[in-house]
Amino acid sequence: AGVLLSEVVRDYQGNTVNCPPFVPSPPIAGANTPLCVGQTLSLTASFTAGATYSWTGPGGFTSTLINPTITNVSLTNAGTYSVTATVSGCTSAPGTVAVTVNTVPATPTVGSNSPLCAGQNLSLTSSSVTGGSYNWNGPNSFTSAVQNPTIVGASTLAAGVYSVNATVAGCTSGNGTVNVVVNPLPGAPT
């Protein structure tokens, strides 16, 4: 549906255009926002029969697709995108959508007090990531959401590779890893 106008209107450049009985309604613009740097931005516009589309956006972005995509987005792709629909020379007002692109946090630097002996406490450490939430994984089904977790009385089953990543604003870093050695206790002397 559109706005009823007289048969003769002026386009956005001021030229006289003979329009059908309506000018198209502004497309409803959408996007899969917020995004992380490196992801694919998918823009969407509502369908108008017989329309051609014109998108504009940050960094000189233009497209004539109804639903364009931008792969491998960067911070320069953040901002407001506008789309118009044109039917028989009559162009709608723009529909707009604001797109947010967040940075991916740095991969945490990881450490431990390894090597240690079975029965000692294993201390894992991760560098601080401002505003980050942590996700640790490791041997023997170990998981933790603490920045610097401790395994009390670690057994030899705690030996192996531990990894942690940090998530900020929905963007997850790469995995920082550390190899932990847990030595068995020597047998009692006879």
Side-chain angles (χ1 to χ4, degrees):
V3 179
L4 291 176
L5 298 176
S6 64
E7 293 267 336
V8 177
V9 296
R10 302 222 178 255
D11 67 13
Y12 66 93
Q13 295 173 335
N15 302 317
T16 300
V17 177
N18 289 321
C19 289
F22 70 94
V23 171
S25 295
I28 298 170
N32 59 329
T33 187
L35 295 161
C36 303
V37 167
Q39 292 182 321
T40 297
L41 169 61
S42 297
L43 298 167
T44 60
S46 54
F47 177 76
T48 300
T52 58
Y53 295 85
S54 178
W55 283 92
T56 59
F61 172 77
T62 61
S63 178
T64 57
L65 299 174
I66 185 173
N67 299 320
T69 59
I70 301 172
T71 58
N72 197 27
V73 296
S74 67
L75 295 177
T76 60
N77 297 114
T80 301
Y81 289 78
S82 300
V83 60
T84 57
T86 301
V87 177
S88 300
C90 297
T91 301
S92 71
T96 62
V97 61
V99 171
T100 301
V101 179
N102 295 313
T103 58
V104 174
T107 299
T109 302
V110 184
S112 75
N113 61 333
S114 172
L116 59 142
C117 296
Q120 291 181 318
N121 293 344
L122 168 59
S123 297
L124 299 167
T125 60
S126 171
S127 57
S128 180
V129 176
T130 303
S133 60
Y134 299 87
N135 179 35
W136 281 91
N137 289 288
N140 203 26
S141 301
F142 174 78
T143 61
S144 178
V146 176
Q147 179 183 347
N148 300 312
T150 298
I151 298 174
V152 176
S155 73
T156 55
L157 296 176
V161 176
Y162 288 79
S163 66
V164 64
N165 59 46
T167 300
V168 178
C171 300
T172 301
S173 72
N175 288 328
T177 61
V178 63
N179 187 42
V180 169
V181 176
V182 181
N183 294 312
L185 294 175
T190 56

